[in-house]
Amino acid sequence: MSACVRIRHDHTAHSSPPSRASGIKRPHSPPPPRRGGRFRIAGADLSASITVFLIAVPMSLGLAVAMDAPLEAGLISAAVGGIVAGLLGGTPLQVSGPSAGLTVVTAELIQIYGWRTTCAITIGAGLLQILLGSLRAARGALAVSPAIVHGTLAGIGVAIALAQLHIVLGSSPQSSAAANALALPEQLGRLTPAAPLIGALTIAVLVVWPRLPGRIGRAVRRLPAALASVAIATAVAAVAAPGIARVDLPSWRSHALPELPQGPVLALATAVFTVLLVASLESLLAAVAVDKLTADRAGGRTADSAPPVPVALAARPVQRSDLDRELRGQGVANVLSGLLGGLPVSGGAVRSSANVRAGATGRAATVLHGVWVLLAAGLLVTALEWIPLAALAALVMVVGFQMVNYAHIRNVHRHREFLVYGATITGVVLFGVLEGVAIGIAVAVAVALHRLARTRITVTDQGGRHLVVVRGQLTFLAVPRLSRALGQLPRGGDAVVELDGFFMDHAAYETIQDWSDAQTAQGGRVVFTGRSGGRIAEPASAAHSCCRPWTPWRNHHCHDQPGQPVDARRAAATRAAFAPGENPAADQGPTGSGDAEADARAADAADATAGPTGRFDTPGDGAAAPRRTGAHRLASGLSSFQRNTAPLVRDELARLAREGQRPSQLFITCADSRLVTSMITASGPGDLFTVRNVGNLVPPPGAEAGDDSVGAAIEYAVDVLKVESITVCGHSGCGAMQALMSTRPDTPRTSLWRWLRHGLPSLERMTSRHHAWARISGRLPADEVEQLCLTNVVQQLDHLRAHESVARRLAEGALQLHGMYFHVGEAQAYLLAEGASAGSGVDEVFDRVGPCDPNHARPYDITDLSDPAGLGDPGNHAAVSAPTAAADPADSPGSGELERTSA
């Protein structure tokens, strides 16, 4: 169906996307900003900006120390990131500044090329960010495996912690993470107590500060832990260790600006690309995290250590980040930071989360934090120079350890991607960021290929019938083992093939189909089932567009759409056809020739049946095809059935013709043309004994007045067919109920009136005070018509119980009654509560039926991402198999024909 329904009504295929000035909201983007509005500063933004500023200053200085960069460069990047990225970025609450993820990369660039060339590399990375943001490539950056991204950040965190540990111990870091690890024993041998004690004090305050108990603790925790730890360490060092190494901010007059890069072009390009990759990924991941934090705050959910969410903030609508705009804003900030001699800029998770939890409402908090950093860089130089380097190093070391997130490790282990995660960390620590990312990608590809090629095939003898279980994906790599396993089965024997996977390529399909045809030709019987044991009965590509293969719903509206050109109809018909390898009947085509092109021509010929004028407009002339008459629509539909559906159901109908009908349900519903009973109940031939009339009415015994058709159907279904249940199904917008409500005493006594009078008890029941109104679970009926539709279902169940045959079977416990309501516009079914259906309940409530079967299976409810497809391979989130129709393998309609190529 998805290939046939038109989704554009007023726009041509070449219409341009709406401009920003048009006010039309793009998907996944915040609404356009209001023009001419003032930059408003709320009280919450002011207080949040101060909180973030108190975190940003020590963090910026600490990162500059970690990179061996000029200390004022950290303050410059913090100010530029806050003001520029805050104004231009697409995530209003994200706070940008010096990048923790780029610490190792920047330190290496400074060591190789010097500070001024590193600034030029930052400018180049910023220009590329602007370009990628303009090309709308930001969303594509998130396609990188999370295991690689988190592994990269964790590897950087390990490298940061190893480097800063040397400063905490009173020495200087080495050039690489491996060298830092190897030099630790020597460093511990010549240890001086001052710096390690100050570093330990800083770490202790960082850990204890958020956990201070009591009323005093809640008041003290308003001061950020980063600022408190550095302030306490600075005060203790001033008294106990006056000679310890401290921050040395040089004069702004000696500040170095960028120069033209000097060095090999390929090496410089690699450096620019590395800065671009890490800074962009870190910013975009932080933006997504900020969206989640904002959504949690809007829902009233906060962390235990966070202040309560104000009601005004919780009521604010949540806007998703514009990632392309965010990438452009980060690019502009990096260009300006590089021009001013600052560090590379990216969005920071620590600063951003503090901003959200402090109650910020807009980008004013981010911008003001940058202003405060700029003022501090000019006015607080003397105070900043009292900070010990060991305290800043300890602060950054804790940040590095926090980048190795246990929650991330647990998630990648749950999704069976720990090998990718570990390889990425090892590559980053031993070889560098870019090399580590490349190693992670290579390992991820190898793991994916291994999973794709790993197929387990087991054969079990079940007393004359063999069970073949195929677990994993069926590709050409598995064909040799598959052929060997199938070849070992006795020829002409019965077999059940259980396909436990979600992909089958053409080579595997042909192998199974050829074997199945050979078994069938020699008198064997082959049944194909899915993992749950349900018979595979339809192509996977059609699983979401039709409920069973015998319903032509997938091809609905493909034949004649008013106003659709002939060539568009042909294209729609071609898209609706099965792709080669998805279904054997489709592969052979209507003529069984196996020639897809010839079958398409045959379909075109059948679809080009002459209209009222004897012909259609010639293809390509742009004219709309005339609307077919009823006779031509009937002929076209019959032709479509014979071509597409009859080959799939011929064996099943032949079996039903031999064995007779044995339906389990009597289904009484309205004659409304919008109600497709087989579709909404996922049923097929032989399942339902259906009675349709105007208004789904059940006249009580003795009131038929010459019309015994409904009573006869009930008696036949209950006494002869021995159905197990009877369902009365009403629906929304029922014309019979509308006509019943508008009936007046002077209404003409037509055939329709004489029939609708059987619904007068429903109208009396709705207006009576002795009966509770029927209700829909979760909401009230929309209007009086819907209320009458619901009440009518309950009333007709009472009429059913008055029939002698129904009452007898109910007393025996061999029959159940059900009430059902189907909302056509919502495609939503509701079932009457069991007590009300049985006539014993007080509340007449129709409960919503979710995407689960009565046994509470979850075919579409994918809430557990650890195994979304139920395939035992939680690493594959994109491929989720559709549920198959549960049926006994012994009732298979085919004689060994493989009707679906993926489970």
Side-chain angles (χ1 to χ4, degrees):
M1 183 178 70
S2 60
C4 304
V5 177
R6 293 178 295 173
I7 59 174
R8 297 187 181 226
H9 302 283
D10 302 321
H11 306 285
T12 64
H14 301 286
S15 59
S16 59
S19 63
R20 292 187 179 272
S22 65
I24 299 177
K25 182 177 178 292
R26 288 179 170 86
H28 308 295
S29 300
R34 290 186 294 180
R35 303 295 181 182
R38 294 182 178 180
F39 184 77
R40 299 180 178 179
I41 301 175
D45 291 332
L46 182 61
S47 61
S49 69
I50 295 175
T51 300
V52 179
F53 157 73
L54 296 178
I55 298 175
V57 170
M59 283 283 294
S60 302
L61 293 174
L63 290 174
V65 171
M67 298 177 189
D68 197 22
L71 297 185
E72 64 272 17
L75 299 177
I76 291 174
S77 59
V80 171
I83 298 173
V84 177
L87 286 173
L88 303 180
T91 310
L93 299 185
Q94 175 161 281
V95 181
S96 300
S99 170
L102 282 169
T103 302
V104 177
V105 176
T106 307
E108 185 178 358
L109 293 178
I110 294 174
Q111 184 178 8
I112 297 175
Y113 300 107
W115 169 243
R116 301 182 66 183
T117 300
T118 302
C119 292
I121 292 174
T122 302
I123 296 174
L127 292 174
L128 286 181
Q129 283 182 313
I130 297 174
L131 176 62
L132 292 178
S134 302
L135 296 176
R136 301 186 178 278
R139 185 70 61 179
L142 299 181
V144 181
S145 171
I148 297 176
V149 174
H150 296 317
T152 302
L153 296 179
I156 293 172
V158 171
I160 291 174
L162 287 174
Q164 298 311 296
L165 181 58
H166 282 273
I167 299 179
V168 170
L169 296 177
S171 181
S172 299
Q174 304 297 318
S175 58
S176 65
N180 284 321
L182 295 175
L184 275 178
E186 180 184 354
Q187 177 63 34
L188 292 174
R190 47 188 178 86
L191 194 64
T192 56
L197 290 176
I198 294 298
L201 175 63
T202 305
I203 295 174
V205 175
L206 279 172
V207 174
V208 174
W209 194 263
R211 297 172 174 80
L212 291 176
R215 182 180 303 177
I216 298 178
R218 286 195 299 271
V220 169
R221 286 201 304 266
R222 295 182 180 274
L223 190 67
L227 179 65
S229 61
V230 173
I232 293 175
T234 301
V236 171
V239 176
I244 195 173
R246 304 178 187 274
V247 169
D248 182 16
L249 285 174
S251 172
W252 285 103
R253 296 178 180 177
S254 60
H255 181 64
L257 298 177
E259 65 178 1
L260 290 176
Q262 298 177 0
V265 175
L266 182 59
L268 291 173
T270 303
V272 170
F273 178 76
T274 305
V275 174
L276 165 72
L277 177 66
V278 178
S280 300
L281 283 177
E282 189 175 13
S283 298
L284 296 178
L285 289 174
V288 174
V290 169
D291 282 348
K292 185 179 184 304
L293 289 174
T294 308
D296 290 345
R297 186 180 70 176
R301 302 182 298 273
T302 60
D304 295 337
S305 60
V309 178
V311 177
L313 293 180
R316 285 181 176 271
V318 179
Q319 296 180 357
R320 294 184 59 181
S321 298
D322 185 341
L323 297 182
D324 294 305
R325 179 180 174 183
E326 179 65 29
L327 190 57
R328 292 193 298 269
Q330 295 291 334
V332 175
N334 272 310
V335 170
L336 290 181
S337 180
L339 288 173
L340 297 176
L343 298 173
V345 172
S346 71
V350 176
R351 296 180 294 260
S352 300
S353 61
N355 191 38
V356 174
R357 297 181 190 280
T361 62
R363 59 181 75 246
T366 304
V367 176
L368 284 176
H369 129 271
V371 173
W372 306 144
V373 172
L374 192 62
L375 293 176
L379 303 178
L380 300 179
V381 174
T382 304
L384 296 177
E385 289 182 339
W386 278 93
I387 301 176
L389 290 179
L392 294 178
L395 175 64
V396 177
M397 186 174 67
V398 171
V399 173
F401 281 125
Q402 290 174 346
M403 293 173 72
V404 186
N405 194 307
Y406 177 72
H408 294 160
I409 298 175
R410 185 174 53 194
N411 283 334
V412 297
H413 183 268
R414 181 191 307 165
H415 298 311
R416 297 169 57 192
E417 293 184 333
F418 187 80
L419 180 61
V420 179
Y421 181 83
T424 306
I425 291 180
T426 305
V428 170
V429 172
L430 295 181
F431 306 108
V433 175
L434 196 60
E435 293 83 354
V437 171
I439 292 173
I441 293 175
V443 173
V445 172
V447 169
L449 291 176
H450 173 71
R451 289 173 178 171
L452 189 62
R454 186 182 60 184
T455 306
R456 289 174 292 174
I457 304 172
T458 59
V459 180
T460 306
D461 189 353
Q462 297 182 332
R465 186 178 69 173
H466 288 80
L467 173 64
V468 182
V469 179
V470 182
R471 301 190 183 280
Q473 319 322 317
L474 280 173
T475 65
F476 65 93
L477 299 174
V479 167
R481 281 178 292 151
L482 181 63
S483 299
R484 184 167 54 252
L486 295 178
Q488 293 174 355
L489 299 181
R491 296 183 180 181
D494 295 341
V496 176
V497 181
E498 180 180 324
L499 302 177
D500 182 7
F502 59 85
F503 177 77
M504 178 189 298
D505 68 3
H506 194 73
Y509 165 77
E510 285 191 344
T511 300
I512 295 181
Q513 186 62 59
D514 293 343
W515 170 81
S516 175
D517 292 341
Q519 289 290 97
T520 304
Q522 297 179 13
R525 185 181 181 89
V526 180
V527 176
F528 295 92
T529 68
R531 183 180 188 182
S532 61
R535 180 177 54 83
I536 297 176
E538 67 170 336
S541 61
H544 293 287
S545 54
C546 64
C547 48
R548 296 284 282 273
W550 44 75
T551 56
W553 183 255
R554 181 184 59 244
N555 299 322
H556 191 54
H557 287 314
C558 281
H559 301 291
D560 260 337
Q561 297 180 10
Q564 186 180 14
V566 174
D567 50 354
R569 280 201 322 276
R570 291 180 175 179
T574 302
R575 289 193 302 270
F578 290 118
E582 288 184 330
N583 186 276
D587 284 346
Q588 294 299 320
T591 62
S593 64
D595 186 348
E597 185 177 354
D599 294 339
R601 289 195 298 270
D604 284 347
D607 202 30
T609 305
T613 62
R615 65 176 179 84
F616 279 131
D617 295 322
T618 57
D621 61 3
R627 186 181 181 88
R628 288 185 181 176
T629 62
H632 288 100
R633 285 180 176 274
L634 176 62
S636 177
L638 293 174
S639 176
S640 175
F641 168 79
Q642 294 300 141
R643 179 173 68 249
N644 298 324
T645 309
L648 299 176
V649 300
R650 186 168 287 117
D651 291 337
E652 173 74 358
L653 292 178
R655 183 184 67 83
L656 292 173
R658 292 192 305 267
E659 300 176 359
Q661 63 167 329
R662 291 179 296 178
S664 60
Q665 303 178 58
L666 168 60
F667 199 81
I668 303 174
T669 188
C670 186
D672 192 292
S673 61
R674 299 166 295 179
L675 214 61
V676 186
T677 56
S678 62
M679 181 182 69
I680 65 177
T681 59
S683 57
D687 292 342
L688 299 181
F689 187 75
T690 307
V691 174
R692 304 186 67 151
N693 60 56
V694 176
N696 48 275
L697 300 178
V698 181
E704 289 83 1
D707 184 359
D708 295 329
S709 61
V710 177
I714 294 172
E715 183 178 344
Y716 183 76
V718 173
D719 291 339
V720 179
L721 298 178
K722 304 296 184 182
V723 296
E724 300 172 357
S725 67
I726 303 177
T727 301
V728 177
C729 176
H731 68 95
S732 62
C734 182
M737 298 299 103
Q738 297 176 21
L740 192 61
M741 294 190 65
S742 61
T743 301
R744 299 188 303 272
D746 58 346
T747 301
R749 298 309 192 250
T750 62
S751 298
L752 180 61
W753 179 87
R754 285 192 293 273
W755 172 255
L756 287 180
R757 64 194 176 123
H758 298 305
L760 291 176
S762 301
L763 188 61
E764 296 172 359
R765 185 188 188 103
M766 187 182 74
T767 57
S768 172
R769 296 185 178 180
H770 300 290
H771 295 280
W773 275 17
R775 304 188 307 279
I776 291 183
S777 177
R779 67 174 178 86
L780 295 174
D783 48 33
E784 291 183 348
V785 174
E786 186 171 54
Q787 179 63 61
L788 183 57
C789 293
L790 299 172
T791 303
N792 181 60
V793 172
V794 180
Q795 183 63 37
Q796 301 314 310
L797 289 174
D798 286 350
H799 290 177
L800 264 176
R801 296 186 192 96
H803 285 261
E804 179 183 356
S805 58
V806 174
R808 184 179 65 256
R809 291 284 302 281
L810 286 174
E812 296 172 356
L815 184 67
Q816 293 182 339
L817 302 185
H818 303 290
M820 175 179 167
Y821 175 75
F822 186 76
H823 195 291
V824 178
E826 298 175 355
Q828 178 61 56
Y830 299 85
L831 281 179
L832 184 61
E834 291 185 7
S837 294
S840 60
V842 178
D843 294 332
E844 298 167 357
V845 179
F846 287 79
D847 294 322
R848 181 179 183 274
V849 178
C852 303
D853 63 14
N855 296 323
H856 303 288
R858 301 189 305 163
Y860 291 112
D861 184 15
I862 309 168
T863 56
D864 184 8
L865 290 182
S866 64
D867 193 3
L871 301 173
D873 187 0
N876 297 281
H877 292 179
V880 180
S881 61
T884 57
D888 190 345
D891 294 334
S892 172
S895 56
E897 179 176 333
L898 180 62
E899 297 176 348
R900 179 173 174 179
T901 62
S902 63

